[in-house]
Structure formats: structure tokens, C-alpha cells
Amino acid sequence: MSGTFTMTKSRLKGHPLQQRLATFLSAEELQNIALDESKTDFSIENSILTINKLGLTSGDIGAEMSGTQHLVTEEIDYQLSVYLPGRFGGRIASILSKQAVNALTQENGTILLPLRVTGTHSDPRIRPDQEVIQPILKEMLKKKAGDVINNIFGN
């Protein structure tokens, strides 16, 4: 089975992943959110639910999630990208570092926080996705080093 489902003007409250994310980010406002829009592509094969680009928006917060959930064992493996307004910078810096937050901040001031979610549906574990974050941070540091060298030598 495969398809797409959408929701508009709905409310999300009490989902284990939502609650764990709210705690992880120290963001009480994520405990009960009104969803402006959600669109999800999915497939189910051999008891594995695959979600591709589950998109959620709520005011100035957005998220996109892709990955799998075993429908029998509830084991999950998701890549979650959370788009947060700049006011979350201090909270994220306590999880990562100020340098990492700077590297993850987009031109419009939004912070893109890549997360990895594993565990089970009822007991999700959230951690920064270092496989995504490290290359972004390295590129920013390389650019800064290049800028410093250019400034020293006047190029």
C-alpha cells in the first residue's frame, strides 16, 4: 500500500514524539500545537511503514520527517528536520554549541535543526543528527578560515 495524506487546520497533542521533542528543546509550546498544514507520502510493506517528507507547520515552526516504523515491534528510525525561529538559538546552543547554531542558521534567520529519532513509537529517543550537522559545521569553519586568510593577505 502507498499513497499521500494531508491535513489542514488540525491539532496535535499528546503524541510521544511530540512530547519528547518539546522536552528535548525545552519548548513547552510544542506540547499542544495547531497544525496549519501537513502532507505525507507513505508506503507499507512487510509490516514496515515508510514515511517520506511528512511536513508539518505551526505558525513559525516547521518540521519535515522521513523514515521508518515497524508496525509490529514499533521500532522507529526517522530523520527529522525542525525549522525553528531564531528565538530558539539559546536553547539549541545548550544542546549543540553556539558555533553549530550559527552554522545551522539560514539566511532568513530560521534555524534548521537536523535530528535523528530512534527507539520505539511509545519511547522515542531524540539526538542531534551528527551525520548531517558535522559537514555543515566543517563547511562553515572552512569558509571562515578562508575569509580570515583573505583578510590578512588583502585578497
Side-chain angles (χ1 to χ4, degrees):
M1 171 178 11
S2 64
T4 300
F5 66 89
T6 60
M7 293 185 292
T8 57
K9 300 202 186 302
S10 54
R11 182 161 296 281
L12 185 61
K13 180 179 180 182
H15 189 281
L17 176 54
Q18 172 192 17
Q19 292 174 333
R20 193 65 50 95
L21 183 62
T23 301
F24 182 76
L25 294 174
S26 300
E28 185 69 28
E29 61 263 49
L30 296 178
Q31 291 284 354
N32 183 4
I33 57 175
L35 300 175
D36 303 323
E37 183 179 350
S38 172
K39 180 179 179 185
T40 307
D41 296 327
F42 74 95
S43 65
I44 300 173
E45 187 174 335
N46 297 324
S47 299
I48 306 281
L49 168 66
T50 300
I51 295 173
N52 188 30
K53 296 186 178 181
L54 171 111
L56 303 169
T57 59
S58 179
D60 59 357
I61 297 173
E64 186 174 281
M65 187 170 75
S66 296
T68 60
Q69 176 177 335
H70 194 285
L71 296 175
V72 177
T73 66
E74 289 193 351
E75 288 180 68
I76 57 176
D77 185 11
Y78 294 125
Q79 297 80 41
L80 175 61
S81 297
V82 182
Y83 299 88
L84 299 164
R87 69 179 183 273
F88 281 83
R91 298 177 204 181
I92 298 169
S94 70
I95 297 166
L96 298 172
S97 69
K98 186 162 176 39
Q99 248 181 349
V101 172
N102 289 339
L104 296 171
T105 300
Q106 311 295 293
E107 286 183 25
N108 67 0
T110 301
I111 303 166
L112 166 59
L113 180 59
L115 300 170
R116 188 65 173 229
V117 183
T118 57
T120 64
H121 172 80
S122 55
D123 186 22
R125 289 189 223 66
I126 300 173
R127 67 183 189 281
D129 192 339
Q130 295 300 334
E131 289 180 23
V132 176
I133 295 170
Q134 290 299 324
I136 294 169
L137 186 55
K138 284 179 184 175
E139 186 60 34
M140 183 199 77
L141 293 172
K142 228 167 40 174
K143 182 183 179 327
K144 277 189 173 185
D147 291 346
V148 168
I149 290 170
N150 285 337
N151 287 339
I152 290 171
F153 295 108
N155 292 335

